[in-house]
Amino acid sequence: MQKYPYNKNKQQAFQAAQQGYENAQSLYETIVSDSASYGHQLKHLKNEVNEAYQQIENALEVASEKQRAQLERFQRDLKQIVSEVNME
């Protein structure tokens, strides 16, 4: 098993969290609330948000100070998405 330097793991964890966040954000922006497939889209969004939260949590364990601030912003944005979806 190949070992990666600590900084590379940090960067990979951050990039995975960022990608998960962007996937959830993108999906949220494409959901149409009156669409016939809204329920299916909402379920998919929930899965994406949960996966993004998990990736963010993992990245926070090894994040630099700068990365931590960004990851915390991702968390706040995802919470906002969840709040907006729950209000519809």
Side-chain angles (χ1 to χ4, degrees):
M1 184 170 134
Q2 186 177 9
K3 297 237 182 213
Y4 292 101
Y6 180 71
N7 284 342
K8 186 160 182 162
N9 285 341
K10 233 195 292 198
Q11 188 61 29
Q12 286 177 332
F14 179 80
Q15 287 173 341
Q18 185 174 32
Q19 185 65 50
Y21 164 77
E22 289 170 357
N23 289 348
Q25 187 80 18
S26 176
L27 186 58
Y28 171 70
E29 291 170 1
T30 63
I31 286 182
V32 179
S33 62
D34 60 356
S35 165
S37 63
Y38 180 69
H40 175 73
Q41 291 175 333
L42 198 58
K43 184 177 179 183
H44 187 57
L45 175 63
K46 182 181 177 185
N47 290 338
E48 286 291 332
V49 168
N50 287 336
E51 187 174 322
Y53 269 129
Q54 187 60 53
Q55 290 168 327
I56 290 168
E57 286 298 319
N58 291 342
L60 280 169
E61 292 177 15
V62 294
S64 68
E65 199 170 310
K66 182 179 177 184
Q67 289 172 332
R68 180 172 301 280
Q70 184 71 26
L71 291 166
E72 288 169 351
R73 186 179 71 76
F74 291 165
Q75 283 181 319
R76 286 192 302 275
D77 289 352
L78 289 173
K79 284 179 184 159
Q80 183 64 35
I81 287 173
V82 171
S83 294
E84 289 177 20
V85 168
N86 286 338
M87 292 178 73
E88 292 179 1

